[in-house]
Amino acid sequence: AQHFGLDHICTGDLLKESGVNTTSVGYSCYNEEEKAAQLVVERIKQCHGEMKGWVLDGFPRTRAQATFLKEASIVPTHVLLFQANVEGIWKRQEQILNGEAKGAYMPPEELEKKLRLHSCHTEAALESYQHLIHLIDMDKDEDAVWQQMETSVRLKQRSQGQYPPPRVVLLGPRGVGTREHASLLAARLGVVFVDG
């Protein structure tokens, strides 16, 4: 977010600010998922109103959360899916505990439960984003991970929908044959020729 000048929207922070207990594993009920979704959607709409892009952290984690975004007509341009082996995750937690790495330490039993929840829900949550997903290998060194992330975000997505017909403007000084070239181009592209 800092690199591209975008707003960082952290679901956990939004929930904490609104008084929701985020220490429990997962969301205890649909109402809490709905609360999280309302906070996220509200913040994204605020970004849109300010003509800002955003990086959404930690949402959607379940199919229900993805549905909330769809209903609000919010579709990301890129989805970065971090992948790491479990040993690497445990090692990082140990490094955080020893002050060798940045991040929030999570007790082993809580981390174990969250990893199980991730395994259960991720595939369903990301079902509708399959064509947007970029896999990021978190087992690589920090520079390599950052390179993957930056490259993925810079890639333009190919639309799954039908491309709009060409809309071409030809300009030039009098006498260069703009009208004739425009007519030929329109015929070649199968579009309407409008003579100004």
Side-chain angles (χ1 to χ4, degrees), residues 88-106 111:
I89 293 171
W90 287 111
K91 183 180 176 185
R92 181 172 178 270
Q93 285 297 300
E94 191 178 312
Q95 290 172 334
I96 291 170
L97 185 63
N98 296 331
E100 299 166 7
K102 294 178 186 175
Y105 177 75
M106 193 176 295
L111 178 60

Side-chain angles (χ1 to χ4, degrees), residues 121-187:
H121 293 287
T122 300
E123 192 173 327
L126 299 177
E127 204 171 70
S128 56
Y129 301 128
Q130 288 304 314
H131 64 290
L132 301 174
I133 292 175
H134 299 270
L135 299 177
I136 307 296
D137 183 358
M138 299 303 288
D139 293 325
K140 294 187 175 180
D141 67 69
E142 196 172 316
D143 288 338
V145 167
W146 170 248
Q147 186 65 45
Q148 290 177 83
M149 290 173 62
E150 185 182 14
T151 301
S152 298
V153 172
R154 286 190 185 280
L155 286 174
K156 284 190 174 181
Q157 296 298 325
R158 290 188 175 173
S159 171
Q160 298 297 306
Q162 189 176 3
Y163 284 102
R167 298 173 185 129
V168 183
V169 175
L170 294 187
L171 299 172
R174 286 279 182 189
V176 296
T178 306
R179 186 179 191 285
E180 291 75 16
H181 285 89
S183 176
L184 288 170
L185 185 61

